[in-house]
Amino acid sequence: MMKMSFRHSLTCAALIAAASLVNAHGDVQPQAVDTAGLPTLGEEWLSENPYRAEAVGEDVWLKAVEIGASGYNQNCARCHGLEVVSGGLAPDLRLLEAADYDDEWYLERFRTGYTQNGTTKMPAFGELLGQEAAWAIRTYIETRPDGDVLEGFVAELGGLRDQMAGYASDSSGADPDALKARLSEIAAEIPTVSGAPVADSIAFRAANLIDGTADAYAAAAETLTIGLSAAQ
């Protein structure tokens, strides 16, 4: 069902974009992505995402998500939407399944771009950015959370945000373990759209920031504030 949804999305996007996004992708100038901290992958392009957590462990996976977010925002968000939420004029990449068959589709488009009727809709990023950047961006894309499920936790996350904003100035009554545990519980309830096992949701991000310090509470509160604003 997910694959059919993506193919349908791709077809509809191409029809709609023909009239109103003739040169949007083609105007994008690829921006270099700093992939320091990721395992190098060599010159031969792989056919399956090597940065999934089950392949490299959580630390490398988290680094791939971080680098992928930066790379996506620099090179892809203009057409495919912030947080990979498409406005309908380009394929919704969240619908790509976290599996080898959609890895192949993604990689082909990333490396060679897309041209329709002689017009470049998406430039070729492969040789300019390299495969470490390609797979980091892919990792970020496939960890996007299901926004419909996230909506069910907006009120509670807002309350937790307010608590942590207060603890940033006075943490005397804070229970960091309890806060981290509840945010982790919420994060576990929010699936990815792609079927990847862990969603990089705002609850997940905030939980990983909490360490009992005032700066961490402030950072977690800011993460929730930005994420909740985007969700509304």
Side-chain angles (χ1 to χ4, degrees), residues 63-119:
K63 181 55 106 175
V65 172
E66 176 188 345
I67 291 173
S70 176
Y72 176 89
N73 288 328
Q74 292 179 71
N75 293 289
C76 315
R78 175 183 175 186
C79 297
H80 291 282
L82 292 174
E83 292 287 329
V84 203
V85 179
S86 173
L89 296 178
D92 191 327
L93 299 178
R94 295 174 300 166
L95 295 174
L96 281 169
E97 290 189 56
D100 56 0
Y101 41 79
D102 277 349
D103 283 347
E104 293 175 4
W105 185 93
Y106 164 84
L107 191 62
E108 180 182 358
R109 285 295 173 87
F110 186 93
R111 292 186 67 186
T112 63
Y114 174 55
T115 301
Q116 185 180 55
N117 299 324
T119 299

Side-chain angles (χ1 to χ4, degrees), residues 6-16:
F6 178 73
R7 303 307 180 198
H8 178 72
S9 172
L10 177 59
T11 300
C12 292
L15 292 173
I16 297 170

Side-chain angles (χ1 to χ4, degrees), residues 12-70:
C12 292
L15 292 173
I16 297 170
S20 56
L21 272 186
V22 174
N23 294 311
H25 286 79
D27 288 344
V28 174
Q29 296 300 315
Q31 301 297 309
V33 178
D34 183 359
T35 58
L38 290 177
T40 56
L41 301 175
E43 296 182 2
E44 183 176 352
W45 284 78
L46 305 176
S47 60
E48 186 174 356
N49 187 356
Y51 293 145
R52 292 188 173 116
E54 60 268 28
V56 293
E58 184 177 10
D59 289 345
V60 174
W61 174 78
L62 286 169
K63 181 55 106 175
V65 172
E66 176 188 345
I67 291 173
S70 176

Side-chain angles (χ1 to χ4, degrees), residues 111-175:
R111 292 186 67 186
T112 63
Y114 174 55
T115 301
Q116 185 180 55
N117 299 324
T119 299
T120 298
K121 298 296 183 67
M122 175 176 169
F125 289 105
E127 298 307 315
L128 293 170
L129 300 188
Q131 72 166 325
E132 286 83 4
W135 291 120
I137 292 171
R138 171 73 167 124
T139 304
Y140 170 73
I141 289 171
E142 67 185 39
T143 57
R144 293 308 84 217
D146 186 323
D148 291 339
V149 177
L150 178 62
E151 285 182 3
F153 294 100
V154 164
E156 183 177 1
L157 288 172
L160 292 170
R161 181 268 318 275
D162 293 343
Q163 286 184 46
M164 289 186 290
Y167 294 147
S169 56
D170 180 8
S171 61
S172 57
D175 185 342

Side-chain angles (χ1 to χ4, degrees), residues 179-205:
L179 282 169
K180 192 178 187 74
R182 181 54 190 149
L183 285 166
S184 296
E185 289 171 355
I186 294 173
E189 293 294 320
I190 301 172
T192 59
V193 180
S194 71
V198 180
D200 179 37
S201 67
I202 56 173
F204 177 84
R205 297 178 192 176

